[in-house]
């Protein structure tokens, strides 16, 4: 199941602190800026809501980490999740099979970044678009979601992440300024 919070301007970090596990509280407080602390806490609380609603789990989850840093809920090896956050939104997906999710703020298009991370076909799609900024972020969220699905994280060769056989749920919210993609 998929969960979204795109109302972060009203998120009260101080009120959220006691609701976080000690592990997540320490992680949130390491962020230098308030926005990082807020999105870290909001993503965790979204996961807590998802675990409660989908699995009846009310205890605060504690994370373990796989070989490449992909988190898992200790004590619940059958539950898979992925969380992501940006300035505009946090997303969480939980499932009984591996999942990947990414959310990104729509930002100014940078041709040099696109040429470094996109293959020729993807560049053609971006360049043919009336909104290259949106098209670039759409493709980027798909790539990152797929990498998070496998647990490998960002790799050196981002150009060859997608092979065209994947099926994503991708939502573009231009009004609020973000795009997310989910894959399972």
């Amino acid at each position: 199941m998929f969960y979204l919070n795109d109302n972060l301007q009203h998120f009260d970090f101080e009120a959220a602190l006691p609701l976080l596990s000690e592990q997540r509280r320490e992680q949130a407080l390491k962020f230098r800026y308030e926005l990082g602390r807020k999105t870290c806490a909001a993503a965790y609380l979204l996961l807590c809501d998802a675990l409660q609603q989908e699995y009846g789990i009310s205890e605060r989850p504690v994370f373990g980490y796989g070989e490449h840093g992909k988190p898992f809920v200790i004590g619940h090896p059958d539950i898979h999740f992925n969380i992501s956050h940006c300035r505009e939104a946090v997303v969480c997906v939980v499932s009984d099979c591996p999942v990947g999710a990414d959310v990104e703020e729509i930002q100014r298009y940078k041709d040099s970044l696109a040429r470094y991370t996109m293959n020729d076909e993807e560049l053609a799609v971006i360049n043919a678009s009336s909104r290259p900024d949106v098209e670039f972020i759409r493709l980027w969220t798909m790539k990152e979601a797929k990498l998070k699905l496998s647990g490998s994280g960002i790799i050196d060769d981002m150009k060859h992440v997608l092979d065209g056989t994947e099926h994503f749920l991708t939502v573009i919210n231009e009004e609020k300024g973000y795009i997310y993609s989910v894959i399972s």
Side-chain angles (χ1 to χ4, degrees):
M1 289 300 290
F2 178 80
Y3 294 81
L4 167 75
N5 179 350
D6 62 1
N7 195 17
L8 297 176
Q9 64 273 19
H10 296 108
F11 185 83
D12 185 344
F13 177 71
E14 293 301 322
L17 270 176
L19 304 175
L20 306 179
S21 68
E22 182 179 333
Q23 177 192 49
R24 192 62 172 195
R25 188 176 317 113
E26 287 175 8
Q27 186 177 11
L29 291 171
K30 287 180 183 178
F31 283 90
R32 182 175 180 181
Y33 297 105
E34 179 184 12
L35 177 62
R37 292 188 295 269
K38 285 174 68 168
T39 57
C40 180
Y44 179 82
L45 293 178
L46 206 57
L47 174 62
C48 290
D49 289 346
L51 292 173
Q52 172 64 46
Q53 290 183 35
E54 302 302 321
Y55 299 97
I57 297 171
S58 58
E59 71 264 8
R60 296 178 185 134
V62 175
F63 300 150
Y65 296 91
E67 178 183 350
H68 298 288
K70 185 173 183 174
F72 60 88
V73 178
I74 292 176
H76 298 280
D78 55 327
I79 298 174
H80 300 269
F81 76 95
N82 210 231
I83 54 179
S84 182
H85 48 81
C86 70
R87 174 182 305 276
E88 307 302 331
V90 297
V91 297
C92 173
V93 61
V94 295
S95 178
D96 58 357
C97 63
V99 291
D102 186 48
V103 62
E104 300 288 340
E105 177 183 3
I106 298 171
Q107 298 180 28
R108 185 176 63 84
Y109 175 68
K110 296 178 184 171
D111 185 62
S112 61
L113 180 60
R115 281 186 278 119
Y116 184 72
T117 59
M118 302 290 160
N119 64 39
D120 290 341
E121 286 180 19
E122 294 162 344
L123 286 170
V125 170
I126 292 168
N127 291 327
S129 172
S130 63
R131 291 285 313 268
D133 56 337
V134 169
E135 195 60 30
F136 173 79
I137 296 298
R138 182 186 72 83
L139 289 165
W140 179 265
T141 62
M142 292 166 63
K143 288 178 182 232
E144 194 162 338
K146 183 175 178 185
L147 293 170
K148 290 173 76 177
L149 169 74
S150 70
S152 66
I154 301 297
I155 59 174
D156 290 336
D157 183 9
M158 291 296 290
K159 290 182 179 188
H160 300 99
V161 171
L162 303 177
D163 62 21
T165 64
E166 306 90 352
H167 298 285
F168 293 90
L169 164 66
T170 299
V171 172
I172 300 168
N173 189 327
E174 289 188 51
E175 179 183 331
K176 291 199 173 188
Y178 64 84
I179 300 171
Y180 66 80
S181 291
V182 176
I183 185 173
S184 59

